[in-house]
Amino acid sequence: PDVIIEAQFDDNDAEHGQDHLQDTLSDDIKKLSLDTGEMGNAVGISGVQRTKQDDGPKVNDPRLLPDEFLQRTAKVVYILEKKHSRAATGFIKLLADRNSELFKRCAMFSPVDHRVPRVYVPLADCPPDFMIRPEEYSQNLFICRIVDWKEDSNFATGQLSKSLGQAGEIEPETEGILMEYGVDFSDFSPKALECLPQNLPWVISPEEMAKRRDLR
């Protein structure tokens, strides 16, 4: 139950269609059909007689194929625990199709982590002049939180939380990592600070040192 199966996905195929993926699968199926047909012919030569009703194994039936040609499949039946914070750092850009109705309402958020899907974000969440000068924000890091992902869509939908700053700088990059992993990096509350010694500089008393083992 602790095994996580990951797969790399080229999101360029998702944006521009999956014709290439379908062609690849079709070629693999054709090769598999030819291999299985040759196996059937070899069996026929060895002396096994077939009637017209039994023309040999049908390649469309996966139960008749050898195990090495089968791909195990499964489905998720239950989510035990949501581990991801649904937040990601990345960049925003305009949609490719400027004539679409979606272009007037949404921008595209591209996460730095390629395991996270690309996200449609409302233009209302973007900077006011983003539509006029999108190139000025091409190197700005943003935090986006995924709120939904419909089954019939290649892209999730989300909301921009904040702008972190210029990509490549230590502070924005660090803040983005902390937010992605749900780490609370806010300031300590006054109640928590009251537990610390108030008289500074603080030193360990001789009585306390006598009870401790010095590992310095």
Side-chain angles (χ1 to χ4, degrees):
D2 296 330
V3 175
I4 300 175
I5 299 176
E6 296 181 356
Q8 291 188 349
F9 175 68
D10 188 357
D11 50 12
N12 291 326
D13 292 340
E15 185 177 9
H16 301 292
Q18 298 186 359
D19 295 338
H20 175 70
L21 180 60
Q22 294 176 354
D23 293 342
T24 303
L25 291 175
S26 298
D27 294 340
D28 292 341
I29 292 173
K30 290 178 181 178
K31 293 178 181 178
L32 181 59
S33 301
L34 290 174
D35 294 340
T36 310
E38 292 173 358
M39 291 174 60
N41 292 335
V43 173
I45 293 173
S46 64
V48 177
Q49 296 182 355
R50 295 192 180 98
T51 61
K52 292 184 178 180
Q53 289 79 10
D54 182 15
D55 293 329
K58 297 181 179 180
V59 295
N60 292 331
D61 190 350
R63 294 173 298 181
L64 301 178
L65 295 175
D67 289 342
E68 58 265 24
F69 293 125
L70 298 180
Q71 173 64 53
R72 298 288 185 259
T73 60
K75 66 178 181 179
V76 177
V77 295
Y78 186 74
I79 298 176
L80 290 176
E81 182 182 0
K82 293 183 178 180
K83 302 291 290 185
H84 199 274
S85 63
R86 300 298 187 272
T89 59
F91 305 92
I92 57 174
K93 62 180 180 179
L94 296 176
L95 297 182
D97 188 1
R98 295 177 174 269
N99 297 322
S100 65
E101 189 66 26
L102 197 61
F103 179 85
K104 303 176 184 178
R105 296 184 289 107
C106 297
M108 178 64 70
F109 174 82
S110 297
V112 175
D113 188 350
H114 294 289
R115 296 173 298 178
V116 181
R118 286 192 287 180
V119 186
Y120 288 131
V121 294
L123 286 175
D125 294 348
C126 301
D129 58 342
F130 170 68
M131 289 288 291
I132 303 174
R133 293 188 294 271
E135 64 279 354
E136 293 187 5
Y137 299 94
S138 60
Q139 296 301 317
N140 277 33
L141 278 176
F142 290 85
I143 284 286
C144 175
R145 192 171 299 275
I146 297 175
V147 296
D148 191 19
W149 193 358
K150 299 185 182 301
E151 294 182 358
D152 58 349
S153 175
N154 290 326
F155 307 108
T157 57
Q159 293 178 339
L160 289 183
S161 300
K162 62 181 298 186
S163 173
L164 298 177
Q166 192 75 9
E169 297 182 358
I170 294 180
E171 290 187 5
E173 298 279 359
T174 303
E175 184 177 351
I177 293 173
L178 294 174
M179 294 189 69
E180 282 186 12
Y181 287 91
V183 179
D184 183 7
F185 57 95
S186 59
D187 294 336
F188 288 104
S189 64
K191 185 177 181 180
L193 295 176
E194 289 175 0
C195 300
L196 299 176
Q198 303 300 318
N199 297 325
L200 301 177
W202 177 80
V203 293
I204 302 176
S205 63
E207 295 80 9
E208 186 68 26
M209 285 291 295
K211 297 184 296 182
R212 298 191 180 193
R213 182 183 177 187
D214 194 348
L215 297 176
R216 291 174 295 180

